[in-house]
Amino acid sequence: QVHLVESGGGSVQAGGSLRLACVISGSTSRWYWMGWFRQAPGKEREGVAAVYTGGGSPCYADSVKGRFIISQDNTKNTLYLQMSSLKPEDTAMYYCAADPDVIRCAVTAVYGYMYRGQGTEVTVSS
């Protein structure tokens, strides 16, 4: 079993930055695909970014490319999402997700990953 806990959400003005963190615990002795997806009120879920903890290039949604960076610290079992140049449309609940058996990097698959956290809220005001 895998447990994910997100942190780092908050309120920020447009143009500002936030860094989200996701600590993974439990059966962490293997590599995982990990990622972030978000859901705003009244909107569909949107995959944001994904990466394989064993190495390789991450993938991003077009809406966040050049502004968000996904990274991990395997020594701390932690996944990060550095968000810069935030826009009001980035306002959403952000979820961390993990799955050991994903074939390739595809942000549209992140919200279908096997494990997910409870989410952390991000609000961007104009």
Side-chain angles (χ1 to χ4, degrees), residues 33-38 46-52 56-72 79-84 94 104-110 113:
W33 284 91
M34 294 191 72
W36 296 90
F37 69 94
R38 64 188 180 184
E46 179 188 19
V48 174
V51 69
Y52 184 56
S57 299
C59 53
Y60 298 93
D62 288 343
S63 59
V64 305
K65 275 181 184 176
R67 300 189 299 122
F68 290 11
I69 298 174
I70 188 171
S71 62
Q72 77 253 30
L79 181 75
Y80 300 100
L81 185 68
Q82 178 67 50
M83 306 185 296
S84 303
Y94 283 72
R104 63 181 181 90
C105 199
V107 293
T108 53
V110 175
Y113 280 8

Side-chain angles (χ1 to χ4, degrees), residues 3 7 11-12 15-17 28 36-37 45 51 62 80-81 85-86 93 96-98 100 102 113 123:
H3 190 52
S7 63
S11 296
V12 64
S17 300
T28 58
W36 296 90
F37 69 94
R45 293 169 299 182
V51 69
D62 288 343
Y80 300 100
L81 185 68
S85 301
L86 283 162
M93 186 72 80
C96 173
V102 173
Y113 280 8
T123 302

